Each structure stands twice: as structure tokens, then as C-alpha cells.
Amino acid sequence: WKDLWTVRAVFLLGSLVPRGVSGPNTYIRTAFSTCWGGKGVCRKLCGGNEDYHIFCDVRRLCCVNKKLLNVRVRR
């Protein structure tokens, strides 16, 4: 019975932590979230040599290197 209560306590404590809000997975997901065909990175603010092209979601911009944005399409 003691093991059963331990398992219940672990599941209860695990359910209290919001999923995706805390822990190392949040940092890994934001560090490797790419956009625009893998050429951009989703961030809250773009760096000096970057400009935003599209929005990743409500809070983040798709930051792309300015050199990649200046590519002209042939017609």
C-alpha cells in the first residue's frame, strides 16, 4: 500500500505543474523553433541583422537574416 500512495503522490505533484510552461523543454522548444522553411527563428524580438518576415504565433516573430529577405524572385 505504501508504494501505491507514493505513485499517487508523484502523479498528483506532476499534474500540478503546467505542461509546457516550465522546465528545460520550454527552453529547448523556443531555441529550436524555426520558421520560413528553416531559415528563420521564432523569437520575441529580432536581432540587429535580422528582420521579421511573418508571425510564428501571437507572441513571437519569425526573425530572418536581412540578407535572406533581399532575395528577388525571377519572373
Side-chain angles (χ1 to χ4, degrees):
W1 290 105
K2 192 174 187 180
D3 293 334
L4 181 64
W5 284 106
T6 305
V7 170
R8 283 185 177 179
V10 168
F11 280 119
L12 177 67
L13 291 174
S15 68
L16 295 177
V17 177
R19 183 169 279 180
V21 176
S22 63
N25 289 337
T26 302
Y27 299 109
I28 292 170
R29 185 175 34 249
T30 55
F32 293 107
S33 60
T34 61
C35 55
W36 205 50
K39 295 182 176 154
V41 179
C42 298
R43 295 187 186 134
K44 289 185 180 181
L45 295 172
C46 296
N49 63 340
E50 296 175 334
D51 201 5
Y52 76 92
H53 179 64
I54 56 174
F55 292 100
C56 292
D57 55 20
V58 177
R59 296 181 184 174
R60 297 181 299 160
L61 304 168
C62 180
C63 299
V64 183
N65 192 330
K66 289 181 182 180
K67 293 179 184 178
L68 296 175
L69 285 176
N70 292 331
V71 176
R72 299 198 179 199
V73 178
R74 293 183 185 181
R75 293 184 185 198

